[in-house]
Amino acid sequence: MQSQSEFSGRTALVTGAASGIGAATARWLDACGIGELILVDLDRPALDQLGLSCKFRPLGGDVSDPALWKLLERELTRLDYAVLNAGIATNGEITELDIASWRKTMAVNLDGMFLSLRTALRAMKKASSGAVVLTASVSGIKAAAGTAAYSASKAATIQLAKVAAAEAAKYGVRVNAIAPGGVDTGIWDRAEWFAPLVEQHGGRAEALAAMAKDATPLGRFASADEVAAQIGFLLSDVAATITGTCLVSDGGVSL
C-alpha cells in the first residue's frame, strides 16, 4: 500500500464504482487516505454501501450520457486522479451479433470512456498534474471467439489511453491502461452459462478455480483487491515515469 500522505487531501474519480474492480479501487484509495472520492455508477444506492470513511460524492448515471459529464465538469473544482472503469461484457459471434448489442457495448465501453476521460483531462490540464487509469482487458490484446464487441471496445480503450498519454504529457498528466484477465467479481454471476458450472463443481469458488486452472498458466484468477492495488500503483508517485503503457495482469493468458 502506498503512503497515506501521497493521497491525503486529493480528489479521485472512479467510474463503475458500485461493484467489482471499481468498488475495490474506491476502498483502496480510501484506505490510502484519499481526501475525496467522486463515484459514478448506474446503481446509485450501492455507492452508499461501500463502507467508506472518506468524503465521497455519489453520482448515479450512465457514463455514455454526455449530460452527466457536462454537469460534473461544471461543478468540478479539483481532480488529481481518475480511474475510468465502467463497462459491460457482451458475448456473441460476429455472424449472430445484432447491431443493437454492438452499439450498446460501444456506447458504454468506448463512448463512456471517451466522455469520462475528456472530463478528467480537462480538469487536470488546468492544474498541470494528475494521473489516469483506464480499465481495459486482456480481451483487447488476445483474440477469443465470441467476444467481438467487447474485445474491440477494449482494444480501442488501450489505444485511447496511449493517445491521451501523448497529448497530456505536455501538461504533466500521466495516462495508463490496465488489462486484467479473469477477475473474481459479480460479472460471472450474471452470465447464463455460469450457474450450471457452479452446480457442476459444487460451489462458486470451486467453479472459478476450475475455470482458472484451465484458462491461465498461473492457474488462478485475480481478486478485485489485487487489481485495485495495481491500479493504485499506476496512480502513485512510484509510477511517476510511467505513461502510455498497458499493464497486463492476466495470469499469463496472453503469453
Side-chain angles (χ1 to χ4, degrees), residues 105-128:
T105 303
M106 293 301 165
V108 177
N109 292 5
L110 196 50
D111 294 353
M113 190 64 73
F114 161 72
L115 290 167
S116 55
L117 176 61
R118 186 177 67 178
T119 294
L121 292 181
R122 284 175 174 174
M124 292 175 180
K125 184 176 182 180
K126 295 175 184 177
S128 296

Side-chain angles (χ1 to χ4, degrees), residues 30 34-38 52-57:
D30 182 39
I34 196 75
E36 181 179 7
L37 287 170
I38 301 168
L52 303 174
S53 60
C54 67
K55 177 183 178 182
F56 69 96
R57 178 184 175 188

Side-chain angles (χ1 to χ4, degrees), residues 189-244:
D189 304 303
R190 294 189 288 274
E192 294 180 359
W193 51 265
F194 187 62
L197 201 63
V198 171
E199 184 175 352
Q200 175 187 342
H201 290 280
R204 183 181 185 280
E206 291 78 7
L208 286 174
M211 288 170 57
K213 184 177 180 180
D214 291 339
T216 68
L218 285 182
R220 64 182 291 265
F221 289 152
S223 70
D225 288 338
E226 287 174 321
V227 178
Q230 293 160 6
I231 290 171
F233 159 72
L234 290 173
L235 294 176
S236 75
D237 292 343
V238 178
T241 59
I242 301 175
T243 195

Side-chain angles (χ1 to χ4, degrees), residues 3 28-29 39 44 56 67 74-75 106 110-111 115-116 140-143 149 166 170 178-179 184 200 206 224 244:
S3 166
W28 189 94
L29 288 165
L39 307 177
R44 164 63 181 81
F56 69 96
R74 191 164 58 237
E75 300 179 355
M106 293 301 165
L110 196 50
D111 294 353
L115 290 167
S116 55
I141 297 168
K142 182 174 181 177
K170 61 182 177 288
I178 187 166
D184 184 0
Q200 175 187 342
E206 291 78 7

Side-chain angles (χ1 to χ4, degrees), residues 76-88:
L76 195 59
T77 58
R78 173 176 182 166
L79 189 65
D80 301 288
Y81 309 104
V83 180
L84 309 181
N85 169 75
I88 59 174

Side-chain angles (χ1 to χ4, degrees), residues 164-186:
E167 294 179 354
K170 61 182 177 288
Y171 45 88
V173 175
R174 298 185 297 107
V175 184
N176 292 290
I178 187 166
V183 182
D184 184 0
T185 70

Side-chain angles (χ1 to χ4, degrees), residues 3 5 25 27 29 44 46 65 69 72 77 96 102 133 141 153 158 163 203 222 225 234 236:
S3 166
S5 61
T25 301
R27 294 189 184 105
L29 288 165
R44 164 63 181 81
D65 180 5
W69 299 107
L72 184 56
T77 58
E96 306 301 320
W102 172 272
V133 176
I141 297 168
S153 71
I158 294 169
V163 172
D225 288 338
L234 290 173
S236 75

